[in-house]
Amino acid sequence: MLGTFQSSHLRIEMPATAAQLTAYLTEPTQMRQWLWPLHIDTSSDRLNEGCQFTTQLGWLTIEHRVELVSDHRLVLVLRRGIEGWQEWCWGEGWVQSCVEGVTLLPLKLGQTLLLWRLRAALSP
């Protein structure tokens, strides 16, 4: 894999309940709302351990495999565009995302944009 090892950890306040965050982070129909323009390829109604899906933006494809999913935590192993992992944790009014991997992409910028899109989707 070409690229450099990068690590980013962000935690921000969200105008949402823990139940809303669980839905937006584990249900592909909800994920599609805030991950746009990324295309999510999965037929699952809800992410479960062992579930695999891809996200795509133009030529960039990232494969995801769900390692762990619970009411307040999601851990994904990433392949292709990013060789690494991502962890999401959340509760009442907050979400935290940690991502580490080898990639040519600017991980911190991408993670910041994802959190901004999630916050915008949940804002009244």
Side-chain angles (χ1 to χ4, degrees):
M1 177 75 189
L2 294 176
T4 58
F5 175 78
Q6 300 174 51
S7 175
S8 181
H9 304 266
L10 295 173
R11 180 179 173 139
I12 65 171
E13 291 182 12
M14 283 284 172
T17 65
Q20 287 173 309
L21 288 165
T22 299
Y24 272 73
L25 292 168
T26 63
E27 297 175 9
T29 54
Q30 300 293 339
M31 293 168 66
R32 285 181 180 98
Q33 291 181 28
W34 63 273
L35 282 176
W36 181 89
L38 289 174
H39 172 72
I40 302 169
D41 181 21
T42 182
S43 58
S44 250
D45 291 341
R46 183 173 163 82
L47 299 182
N48 298 304
E49 291 177 18
C51 173
Q52 296 185 20
F53 64 97
T54 59
T55 53
Q56 199 165 9
L57 178 61
W59 57 269
L60 173 68
T61 299
I62 301 172
E63 295 176 358
H64 308 261
R65 182 171 41 88
V66 179
E67 280 292 303
L68 175 77
V69 63
S70 70
D71 290 339
H72 298 282
R73 189 170 175 222
L74 173 65
V75 178
L76 304 167
V77 174
L78 310 173
R79 292 191 54 237
R80 290 185 68 183
I82 303 170
E83 294 288 334
W85 63 275
Q86 183 171 22
E87 177 184 40
W88 292 89
C89 298
W90 60 89
E92 292 294 319
W94 64 272
V95 67
Q96 177 176 302
S97 173
C98 303
V99 61
E100 292 184 353
V102 175
T103 185
L104 292 171
L105 304 170
L107 266 188
K108 289 182 182 183
L109 175 62
Q111 182 186 32
T112 301
L113 290 174
L114 283 180
L115 286 169
W116 178 77
R117 294 277 305 155
L118 176 59
R119 185 180 198 155
L122 288 164
S123 293

